[in-house]
Amino acid sequence: MTDAADARRSRQPRKRLHYGEGREALLNAAVRVVARGGLRNLTYRAVAEEAGVTHGLVVHHFGSRDALIEEALAHTIRTSLSTSALEPGTGRVGDFSTGLSEMVTADPGTQAFQYELLLEARRRPELLPQIRALYDQYFDATQRELSRMLPADADRALTRLVFAALDGLVLHQLVLGEPEVTDAALEELRSLLRLLDADGDRTGEARA
């Protein structure tokens, strides 16, 4: 039965994709493969099958499995930063991370992919440099927005504390669901951030 199904899939016509479109489709396919079955299942053939193309196209675009992993991770960071409202740029506490629960609901695979690689980095230390470098983008975005919201620039410790809270909420929602719990916890986090605005008389309206 499995052999017959594989044979049918192999006879199905492959998609013909333009360069940019093909690269994006392969990155999204890699994320789905890892989110569904873990990093051990990430192969050229699995990604090609998920994307509906030949595995030679995966090789053409990325050259190596490590390059595919690195670029897929960078892709998920960009996607998360653009959809999470982590850095709205307004300096308003009420705008901070307003899209977090919606992001997890709409695209849980992206978040699962990142957590899979974080855990894999404990077993494969060679992944740590790219994990650190790419997560630094999260920390930097968090620190910039906190510095806009608060009278004093946010330091590294506060940035890590706030981001750890956000990261934990994403993980809990990914596993347990309950986006309303995420939203309620985020509102509590915003209340705590408002308490840090010691210069509220001067900037309270702008930071509301």
Side-chain angles (χ1 to χ4, degrees):
M1 183 84 100
T2 302
D3 291 343
D6 290 342
R8 283 195 300 271
R9 280 197 298 268
S10 68
R11 290 195 297 270
Q12 291 175 354
R14 298 293 186 179
K15 297 176 183 178
R16 298 188 65 182
L17 303 173
H18 299 297
Y19 181 83
E21 179 189 6
R23 193 177 192 82
E24 186 82 3
L26 292 173
L27 290 172
N28 288 328
V31 169
R32 292 194 299 272
V33 167
V34 174
R36 188 168 59 240
L39 192 61
R40 71 185 65 182
N41 289 332
L42 185 67
T43 64
Y44 289 146
R45 197 167 299 279
V47 172
E49 184 174 316
E50 180 71 25
V53 299
T54 64
H55 79 281
L57 190 61
V58 186
V59 179
H60 169 73
H61 278 292
F62 302 104
S64 72
R65 184 173 179 272
D66 286 344
L68 174 59
I69 292 170
E70 183 172 348
E71 293 201 38
L73 180 58
H75 173 67
T76 66
I77 296 285
R78 290 192 301 269
T79 300
S80 294
L81 284 173
S82 67
T83 60
S84 68
L86 185 62
E87 190 183 7
T90 65
R92 292 174 58 89
V93 176
D95 294 337
F96 184 60
S97 291
T98 54
L100 193 72
S101 64
E102 291 87 351
M103 176 192 71
V104 180
T105 299
D107 189 15
T110 294
Q111 310 311 314
F113 173 87
Q114 292 183 20
Y115 290 123
E116 285 284 345
L117 262 68
L118 284 170
L119 292 173
E120 185 66 21
R122 295 183 70 248
R123 297 181 287 268
R124 295 178 54 190
E126 67 271 18
L127 291 175
L128 278 174
Q130 63 199 55
I131 291 289
R132 289 183 185 278
L134 292 168
Y135 257 70
D136 277 345
Q137 296 183 52
Y138 279 144
F139 301 142
D140 290 346
T142 302
Q143 186 167 24
R144 286 192 299 268
E145 195 59 27
L146 288 174
S147 294
R148 294 185 185 103
M149 291 188 290
L150 303 176
D153 287 345
D155 60 20
R156 183 180 179 87
L158 178 61
T159 297
R160 291 297 183 99
L161 176 62
V162 171
F163 182 77
L166 299 176
D167 206 25
L169 290 173
V170 170
L171 179 58
H172 290 173
Q173 184 178 333
L174 184 65
V175 176
L176 302 175
E178 303 176 330
E180 68 280 2
V181 174
T182 301
D183 291 335
L186 280 171
E187 191 50 49
E188 287 297 317
L189 176 61
R190 295 185 193 107
S191 295
L192 293 174
L193 291 174
R194 290 185 182 100
L195 293 176
L196 294 177
D197 187 357
D199 196 18
D201 289 341
R202 181 172 63 83
T203 59
E205 183 176 351
R207 300 177 191 280

